Amino acid sequence: MKALSIGQKHGNDQDRNGVPSANGDDKPVRVSRHAQEIINMKIEPDEIVSLVQEMAKRHDEGKPTGWEAGAIILARLYPGRPARAHCISERMQCLAEMAKDVRMRGWSFEGPEDGCLITNEAVFRGAALCPMRAGQNRVRFDPDEFFAIVLAETPSEGKA
């Protein structure tokens, strides 16, 4: 099992209709053009994994690994592409919410430091691949959909 750490738990645009809500009620939520762009943007799993690896490296070097550090790393990885950096940041926020779900126990365990989860890479792949849903104030992953994707991304350890 390849594992990485999630880390510490912790305008004028026109509105759009038709984005499924995060609470599962299937009622459309009105979102800005920018939010729609973020929701629809496709992210490669390696982009999430690269961010997590950079954060792990910072942690190992004794450097800060909070939200600000992640933003700096994303700005460096995606110069001139703030929407892409924002999308990855939002996906990591969605992942932090999924880490609170009891089902995450199948792919993670408590690390040596308080609040740190050692997490299977399939979870990060799921964070890149899971569609985001519009909520009242933030985007979210549908938990059932997220964990189904993570399960599909989990390599089999045996032969049937």
Side-chain angles (χ1 to χ4, degrees), residues 30-45:
R30 296 172 66 96
V31 298
S32 70
R33 184 175 295 152
H34 176 71
Q36 187 68 49
E37 177 185 354
I38 297 302
I39 289 168
N40 291 335
M41 189 175 292
K42 301 297 182 204
I43 298 297
E44 293 298 320

Side-chain angles (χ1 to χ4, degrees), residues 6 48 51-52 87-96 124:
I6 287 179
I48 299 285
L51 172 61
V52 172
C87 179
I88 293 168
S89 178
E90 288 295 328
R91 287 180 172 281
M92 293 303 290
Q93 291 296 316
C94 292
L95 177 56
F124 301 111

Side-chain angles (χ1 to χ4, degrees), residues 18 49 65 67 70 74 81 97 102 104 108 129:
V49 171
T65 58
W67 181 88
L74 288 170
R81 296 168 53 188
E97 288 298 312
V102 69
M104 186 65 83
S108 65
L129 298 171

